[in-house]
Amino acid sequence: LLPCCVQHDGPAPVAAFLRARP
Amino acid sequence: PAQWVLIAPEAALDPPKKPDSEPLFTKLRNPSTGEATLYLFNSGAQQLFEVKAFHEECRSWFIGQTVQQDGRLLFVTPMDPLFLILYYLIKADKEQQGKFQPLDQVVLDSEYPSCPLLLKCADVKQYIQHVTEEKEIGSQKFHKYSQEKTLKWLKKKVNQTVKALKSNNISVGERVLASTLINSKQITDAQEDYVRYAHGLISEYIPEDLSKELLKY
Amino acid sequence: MALSALQRDPAGGGRFASAVPEPCRRLPCALGVDEAGRGPVLGPMVYAICYCPVDKLEQLEALGVADSKTLSEAERERRFGLLEAAGDWVGWALQVLPPDHISACMQQRAKYNLNELSHDTATELIQFALDSGVQVAQVLVDTVGPAEKYEAKLRQRFPGLGVTVRPKADALFPVVSAASICAKVARDRAVLHWNFVEDLGDPDRDYGSGYPNDPKTKEWLRRNLEPVFGFPRLVRFSWGTAQALLRDRGVPVRWADEDPPEDPPAPPSVLSYFARSPPRRPPHRFFQERSLRPLAEL
């Protein structure tokens, strides 16, 4: 859940830019 | 959007036992506001759930490798169908001057075709006696709204809510207290504060006139 | 190799330093300060100090460190090699400021602008030299901004040291020129060996000079702009060039604490003052406090 509004619905290379951490 | 992020108990999403009886999101009449509000019936309409959204401004989701503008998080929680049925019982009582009627002729709404599913929920036919007087003629049952029984039932709901508020350490006092601040003094909310708060919560689920009667009660 | 640690992880930035030569611990030293990479829209900014005993300044000049700006990249590398070889009497230290750190400082709520960042970095490097045991007697600094104020600030910070701040100091003082070479070589290597932390496959490195008015750099920026995430961390998001591209080609992103839009909201209709239905009761504060709302539809 992001603390901002991204004004788009669609693909995003999340794994390329973010690393999930517990 | 084509997808939503939702937290629900397992019972809401159990697979259907029969075809054409999947979980169903549907609009029903909100008993407090009278407006269309979203609810969920699980498979076979055994249980009713209310749907609420955690909704803050300026939120979005990353879901896997997609971005979703709609940043709401939906919560699905079990709800007593009697709250929704009450509206129709009270309406029928006014319109039919206290006549006993079969439930399936009372719980009807041209604006909300899913309304009769409320009567399919488990144990409704048994628990309806909490809010109605009943007559049996032959094999058929007839019901009439009872304000006295309803207030007694609602009082139990309020008391249960008070217990839940206390056990979950919900602050109910009139003071504004941020949950992130730890107050060094031992401040105990008065019992009246709990009852008023619980009444306010229950009032979200009943018509306004009934809420006023309940407050007096 | 002295800069091998930097080349392994340029994106990480940090401080890199030679060993302090023994004469620099005994003899009064001149210390020069310069920077590299202030103007480009991508890559780190590097601050460098270079120091040697005052009585070795002529020897330093003889290494050919003067006029570093006129040198080609290959020449700079060669002269850095000469400085390294003179490691028994010349010392240096670098502070590598990664591009995302620069952008974050410039864009954070309490703005920390590039000049303040530069001055503080230079001050910290001078202090580092003192803390490492260098007998600093003179500090010579190159600056692009007003020299007098900066000089006064450094004199106040380092009383007892001779401080000289000048524009184009790298052309005037060999120890500043040597620092300039260290800074430029470090920056060039950081950009050449840049480790993209983003998982972007094999991004092209044809970014030209890195300056905003370089068409090759602009073209690289356009090619490597991802509409949701923007650019790789190599890019300084706070630069006007980057911001303009994000505005034109990126997906709009709105934050709760951003300034309100310029257009004021339309005034309410007169009819709204004559509502037929009674005003709706607000939701119970349990729900309000938790931002929980009913839904009319999905």
Side-chain angles (χ1 to χ4, degrees):
Chain A
L1 183 61
L2 303 177
C4 57
C5 182
V6 179
Q7 292 170 344
H8 180 65
D9 290 303
V14 178
F17 285 87
L18 298 180
R19 304 275 181 275
R21 291 280 183 271
Chain B
Q3 57 185 0
W4 295 265
V5 185
L6 180 144
I7 295 180
E10 281 187 33
L13 306 167
D14 282 338
K17 294 191 174 81
K18 289 185 233 173
D20 296 330
S21 65
E22 287 86 7
L24 173 71
F25 280 100
T26 187
K27 289 186 215 184
L28 294 169
R29 189 180 295 275
N30 184 302
S32 171
T33 65
E35 291 172 359
T37 304
L38 199 66
Y39 296 89
L40 171 75
F41 285 105
N42 71 347
S43 322
Q46 284 297 290
Q47 248 186 297
L48 175 73
F49 300 82
E50 68 166 330
V51 184
K52 282 225 177 336
F54 169 70
H55 188 185
E56 288 181 328
E57 295 302 319
C58 298
R59 290 279 192 177
S60 288
W61 284 100
F62 281 142
I63 302 171
Q65 301 305 298
T66 65
V67 62
Q68 179 170 292
Q69 195 172 170
D70 180 352
R72 290 176 300 172
L73 170 62
L74 306 190
F75 284 91
V76 162
T77 51
M79 184 171 162
D80 191 333
L82 285 188
F83 283 113
L84 268 67
I85 292 170
L86 259 183
Y87 168 87
Y88 298 100
L89 291 169
I90 294 170
K91 180 168 176 277
D93 194 57
K94 284 186 190 145
E95 288 173 359
Q96 304 296 327
Q97 284 104 36
K99 232 170 75 177
F100 282 84
Q101 294 180 82
L103 279 177
D104 55 12
Q105 285 182 24
V106 169
V107 186
L108 285 173
D109 197 323
S110 57
E111 286 182 59
Y112 303 101
S114 302
C115 176
L117 289 175
L118 290 168
L119 297 177
K120 283 185 78 177
C121 291
D123 303 324
V124 156
K125 301 272 169 74
Q126 180 192 344
Y127 293 146
I128 199 79
Q129 291 173 61
H130 290 304
V131 295
T132 61
E133 289 170 31
E134 188 181 289
K135 261 189 196 165
E136 201 165 338
I137 299 172
S139 58
Q140 214 176 356
K141 291 191 180 172
F142 298 78
H143 293 85
K144 179 171 97 89
Y145 172 64
S146 164
Q147 181 166 282
E148 191 190 328
K149 285 179 125 186
T150 300
L151 288 171
K152 203 169 159 187
W153 175 73
L154 285 172
K155 186 183 168 187
K156 285 185 191 165
K157 291 283 194 190
V158 168
N159 289 341
Q160 282 173 338
T161 305
V162 167
K163 273 192 202 145
L165 290 167
K166 285 178 178 173
S167 65
N168 284 284
N169 286 317
I170 307 287
S171 169
V172 300
E174 290 299 306
R175 295 164 298 117
V176 173
L177 183 70
S179 57
T180 48
L181 294 177
I182 299 163
N183 199 322
S184 57
K185 279 193 274 183
Q186 192 77 7
I187 292 176
T188 315
D189 289 319
Q191 181 65 11
E192 186 183 320
D193 289 341
Y194 277 106
V195 175
R196 282 191 183 278
Y197 195 99
H199 167 266
L201 269 175
I202 296 295
S203 296
E204 292 279 311
Y205 299 89
I206 54 178
E208 200 172 336
D209 290 344
L210 185 56
S211 165
K212 287 176 184 162
E213 289 300 320
L214 180 61
L215 188 62
K216 281 190 243 171
Y217 188 80
Chain C
M1 218 171 29
L3 294 179
S4 54
L6 171 63
Q7 284 167 212
R8 273 197 298 275
D9 181 24
R15 185 172 292 156
F16 307 87
S18 69
V20 175
E22 194 273 331
C24 298
R25 292 180 188 278
R26 283 187 292 111
L27 303 168
C29 293
L31 181 148
V33 185
D34 204 352
E35 67 181 30
R38 175 178 281 261
V41 66
L42 45 85
M45 191 160 80
V46 179
Y47 259 82
I49 56 172
C50 191
Y51 52 88
C52 71
V54 172
D55 62 8
K56 294 277 195 186
L57 283 173
E58 278 185 25
Q59 257 178 277
L60 185 66
E61 199 166 356
L63 289 181
V65 296
D67 297 330
S68 60
K69 279 200 175 71
T70 61
L71 299 173
S72 66
E73 193 175 321
E75 262 306 305
R76 285 199 293 269
E77 281 282 344
R78 193 182 75 79
R79 285 169 208 214
F80 181 71
L82 293 175
L83 288 169
E84 283 190 290
D88 54 343
W89 54 273
V90 176
W92 54 266
L94 310 165
Q95 186 70 38
V96 178
L97 303 173
D100 56 305
H101 174 69
I102 296 168
S103 299
C105 288
M106 291 172 72
Q107 295 188 118
Q108 67 192 28
R109 262 182 251 225
K111 303 273 178 272
Y112 184 29
N113 69 37
L114 194 62
N115 272 344
E116 288 168 325
L117 178 63
S118 299
H119 289 183
D120 288 348
T121 306
T123 305
E124 282 158 21
L125 273 175
I126 298 166
Q127 187 63 51
F128 171 74
L130 291 166
D131 293 343
S132 302
V134 178
Q135 295 299 315
V136 181
Q138 295 172 30
V139 174
L140 301 133
V141 185
D142 184 78
T143 185
V144 293
E148 299 81 17
K149 266 190 181 170
Y150 191 12
E151 190 175 285
K153 196 167 145 187
L154 285 173
R155 282 188 184 187
Q156 193 181 42
R157 177 73 174 75
F158 300 107
L161 300 187
V163 176
T164 305
V165 178
R166 291 281 182 277
K168 303 192 196 303
D170 57 340
L172 299 171
F173 309 112
V175 79
V176 177
S177 194
S180 170
I181 286 171
C182 294
K184 282 183 171 51
V185 165
R187 182 187 140 86
D188 289 344
R189 288 195 195 176
V191 173
L192 181 66
H193 295 279
W194 187 262
N195 50 327
F196 286 91
V197 297
E198 303 80 11
D199 200 0
L200 297 168
D202 193 16
D204 76 84
R205 291 166 183 271
D206 195 16
Y207 10 81
S209 67
Y211 279 85
N213 56 5
D214 182 344
K216 218 171 176 188
T217 301
K218 272 198 181 141
E219 192 41 48
W220 186 91
L221 289 170
R222 280 188 207 110
R223 272 201 313 276
N224 288 276
L225 191 160
E226 202 293 316
V228 173
F229 290 95
F231 302 103
R233 219 189 275 184
L234 174 68
V235 177
R236 299 179 192 177
F237 281 57
S238 52
W239 252 235
T241 313
Q243 291 190 334
L245 279 168
L246 287 168
R247 228 174 6 248
D248 294 339
R249 291 163 182 243
V251 162
V253 177
R254 205 163 39 86
W255 297 77
D257 59 352
E258 274 179 336
D259 294 333
E262 286 179 22
D263 296 335
S269 152
V270 168
L271 292 173
S272 69
Y273 295 106
F274 300 92
R276 284 197 194 126
S277 50
R280 195 191 300 179
R281 185 168 50 93
H284 191 267
R285 76 173 163 110
F286 177 86
F287 298 113
Q288 283 189 70
E289 285 169 5
R290 290 156 182 79
S291 303
L292 288 171
R293 307 183 197 186
L295 282 100
E297 55 200 355
L298 277 175

